[in-house]
Amino acid sequence: QGCTQKYIVKNYFYYYLFKFSAALGEEIFYITFLPFTYWNIDHSVSRRMIIVWSIVMYIGQVSKDILKWPRPLSPPVVKLEMRTNAEYGMPSTHAMAATAISFSFFVATTNQYKYPFELGLVAAFVFSTLVCLSRLYTGMHTVLDVIGGALISAVLLMLLYPAWDTIDHLLLTSPFCPLFSIVVPLVLCYNYPKLDYYSPTRGDTTTILGAAAGATVGFWLNNQYAAPAYTSKSFQPGFPLVTSAMVLVLARFFIGILVVLLTRWVMKNVVLGALGYRYKFPIRDLEARRRLEVEVPYKFVTYSSVGFTATVIVPLLHELLGLM
């Protein structure tokens, strides 16, 4: 299973298209697109996407480790990725995330912004389809894994949609929101299904729930203290993008991402250092970092700090620098 097959790329267009599309379902996309939406487009849209994304991904990750369906055999399949090879296949969480994010963004914006309904629908469909096809191209999933993931995500989105406004209102106004947002994800992470061997699914799930927990606490705090909301008027679809507006958007994004990445680096080292001191292991000991008592607090604290920084610290910095 650890053997890597050699292969020759004959069509570089498809190779780079689907390698890029696969990245749209990974951390690099989440840590850039979701904060970008919050900083430059609309707070309510970002909140709804994060709610849907965290619920869908948790259900998808847990389903993998309950069903335990293997990934495609290699050979005959040639696998272009190895990190997630230790995970089970059904359902494809890439397909679930792509469907959830693209269609929740479409549904959340269609009533707030003036743009052709058909255009938004096609864009969401193309985005999710590219990610789904990338999982087949890279040899990481079967057709059934991908279809199952997309369908599960679509059903969850339909079930959550009627409760969007209610959930959003409670997360912003309930005095129990911060406690609920931290305790529930932590309990879910510590009680994640146990496997016979190590798989990155628990760590990835902890990362997602931690980021969502930190962001949710940030949403609540901003609402309680009436933090100024970003206006999306300069970024309305169909509106001519003025050079100054684009500079503002890019400045918010690059400054924000720099702060977010710095937060992740600092917190990762601080938390791992503290846990290493507590449990007597060197920071670079990969096996020790995979233990439940280390992996869950390390990833949860690190990424909840990232979510909180993206929703509270970065907006304050933007305001201080006159980028609002």
Side-chain angles (χ1 to χ4, degrees):
Q1 195 174 29
C3 177
T4 304
Q5 285 183 271
K6 294 182 179 180
Y7 57 88
I8 298 173
V9 178
K10 294 183 178 179
N11 190 315
Y12 282 95
F13 174 76
Y14 287 139
Y15 179 78
Y16 288 113
L17 172 65
F18 290 125
K19 289 286 281 185
F20 173 76
S21 299
L24 298 178
E26 297 173 358
E27 182 184 350
I28 185 65
F29 176 72
Y30 304 145
I31 209 169
T32 53
F33 179 71
L34 294 176
F36 178 89
T37 304
Y38 190 77
W39 300 329
N40 290 303
I41 299 181
D42 193 288
H43 280 185
S44 64
V45 171
S46 181
R47 289 197 303 269
R48 283 159 173 76
M49 281 199 300
I50 289 173
I51 291 168
V52 172
W53 169 65
S54 57
I55 294 174
V56 165
M57 288 299 287
Y58 175 77
I59 291 174
Q61 296 283 70
V62 168
S63 298
K64 279 186 178 185
D65 291 336
I66 291 176
L67 293 174
K68 298 183 178 180
W69 286 20
R71 289 187 182 270
L73 291 176
S74 175
V77 168
V78 176
K79 295 184 178 180
L80 305 186
E81 297 177 13
M82 293 310 296
R83 179 190 173 273
T84 58
N85 196 39
E87 297 179 6
Y88 290 107
M90 178 68 173
S92 166
T93 46
H94 272 72
M96 293 184 72
T99 303
I101 289 177
S102 59
F103 281 94
S104 61
F105 181 81
F106 166 61
V107 172
T109 57
T110 188
N111 294 324
Q112 297 188 40
Y113 300 98
K114 293 182 179 179
Y115 65 86
F117 178 87
E118 296 79 7
L119 178 63
L121 184 61
V122 169
F125 180 78
V126 169
F127 178 91
S128 54
T129 300
L130 281 174
V131 176
C132 290
L133 291 176
S134 75
R135 307 316 288 159
L136 302 178
Y137 183 87
T138 55
M140 301 310 295
H141 285 285
T142 65
V143 174
L144 187 59
D145 294 343
V146 169
I147 292 175
L151 287 178
I152 293 170
S153 190
V155 170
L156 289 172
L157 188 56
M158 287 189 288
L159 293 174
L160 288 169
Y161 176 69
W164 265 11
D165 292 338
T166 302
I167 296 172
D168 191 48
H169 178 73
L170 287 173
L171 291 180
L172 291 178
T173 60
S174 173
F176 301 105
C177 172
L179 181 64
F180 179 86
S181 300
I182 298 297
V183 171
V184 172
L186 265 178
V187 170
L188 293 176
C189 292
Y190 274 108
N191 290 277
Y192 193 83
K194 292 181 174 60
L195 297 177
D196 297 330
Y197 61 91
Y198 178 80
S199 165
T201 47
R202 185 184 65 203
D204 291 345
T205 304
T206 305
T207 294
I208 292 165
L209 293 185
T216 303
V217 172
F219 297 150
W220 180 86
L221 196 64
N222 286 339
N223 187 66
Q224 298 302 308
Y225 292 93
Y230 291 102
T231 175
S232 55
K233 292 178 181 178
S234 63
F235 205 73
Q236 291 269 14
F239 188 86
L241 294 178
V242 186
T243 304
S244 58
M246 282 301 296
V247 170
L248 194 65
V249 166
L250 292 174
R252 286 176 182 171
F253 175 70
F254 285 114
I255 290 173
I257 287 298
L258 181 63
V259 174
V260 163
L261 293 178
L262 181 62
T263 300
R264 184 179 66 166
W265 180 79
V266 170
M267 292 306 299
K268 176 180 177 180
N269 285 282
V270 169
V271 176
L272 270 179
L275 290 169
Y277 178 79
R278 168 68 177 82
Y279 294 107
K280 311 300 180 187
F281 68 87
I283 290 180
R284 296 187 182 277
D285 186 343
L286 186 59
E287 288 302 316
R289 286 163 57 172
R290 290 174 170 178
R291 285 155 42 188
L292 175 68
E293 66 271 21
V294 174
E295 184 177 60
V296 170
Y298 143 55
K299 294 206 167 184
F300 192 87
V301 173
T302 298
Y303 284 90
S304 60
S305 301
V306 166
F308 184 82
T309 297
T311 53
V312 176
I313 306 301
V314 170
L316 289 175
L317 182 59
H318 286 167
E319 185 180 9
L320 184 65
L321 295 174
L323 298 175
M324 296 294 289

